[in-house]
Amino acid sequence: MAVENPREHLAFLVHDVAKRLRVEFARRAARHDLTPAQARCLMLLAFRPGASLKALAEALEVQPMSVLRVVDGLQARRLLRRETDPDDRRALQLFLTRPGETAVARIWRLLDGIIAEAGADMGPAARRRLARSLVQLSAGMQKFEREPR
């Protein structure tokens, strides 16, 4: 897809929007005493209750020691709890607490607010079309995960 202005290439635009979203989200999450890593951890546990530290580290694409520090901080704030895995007593499962669930709801509201403000000129129908298009693009990108390197 040749474009006259490289900054209008879809790959550049997706990367640019993702970067700007991360920066703005970090700024707003800090007001609620959350780092982006903590927020991502909470969101993943909302989707995958009972995840292990290893699974969480893989999903977050970080080293287990990095996720351990995040988990320790979230547990100290009572936003998640650890339980022994009934199938493997050496492993731990992680679950959101009620305050953790409340934090996840707050994170969604922050994200909704950023998208609504950034896309104010688009309107709801255009944002829905964009979301559908990005879902399709993401699905197409998944084939690269299955291809040998």
Side-chain angles (χ1 to χ4, degrees):
M1 174 168 99
V3 292
E4 200 170 298
N5 181 351
R7 291 182 181 268
E8 292 178 3
H9 192 282
L10 183 58
F12 177 85
L13 292 169
V14 168
H15 183 270
D16 187 58
V17 167
K19 176 185 168 199
R20 292 171 190 272
L21 175 61
R22 283 191 307 273
V23 168
E24 182 58 20
F25 176 75
R27 189 179 71 78
R28 293 185 190 201
R31 295 179 194 160
H32 298 279
D33 197 28
L34 282 174
T35 66
Q38 291 170 330
R40 288 180 64 212
C41 182
L42 293 171
M43 296 294 279
L44 278 165
L45 288 176
F47 290 121
R48 297 172 62 181
S52 67
L53 285 168
K54 180 181 178 191
L56 200 56
E58 288 173 5
L60 293 169
E61 298 177 339
V62 297
Q63 295 298 315
M65 286 305 297
S66 296
V67 81
L68 183 59
R69 284 189 289 274
V70 172
V71 166
D72 286 345
L74 292 171
Q75 184 179 19
R77 293 175 56 190
R78 294 183 167 76
L79 296 175
L80 62 76
R81 70 180 189 283
R82 297 174 187 183
E83 293 182 11
T84 302
D85 185 331
D87 298 327
D88 181 356
R89 296 183 50 83
R90 297 168 296 162
L92 293 173
Q93 293 181 308
L94 304 168
F95 297 91
L96 294 175
T97 60
R98 290 246 189 251
E101 291 169 354
T102 300
V104 168
R106 185 179 313 117
I107 293 165
W108 280 118
R109 286 192 301 274
L110 286 174
L111 290 168
D112 288 345
I114 293 167
I115 296 301
E117 289 176 43
D121 292 340
M122 294 174 68
R127 286 194 302 270
R128 284 192 299 275
R129 283 192 305 276
L130 176 59
R132 282 193 303 271
S133 294
L134 289 172
V135 165
Q136 291 173 320
L137 183 62
S138 179
M141 296 296 286
Q142 289 177 18
K143 72 179 178 185
F144 301 123
E145 296 171 13
R146 296 184 295 271
E147 291 180 359
R149 296 185 189 255

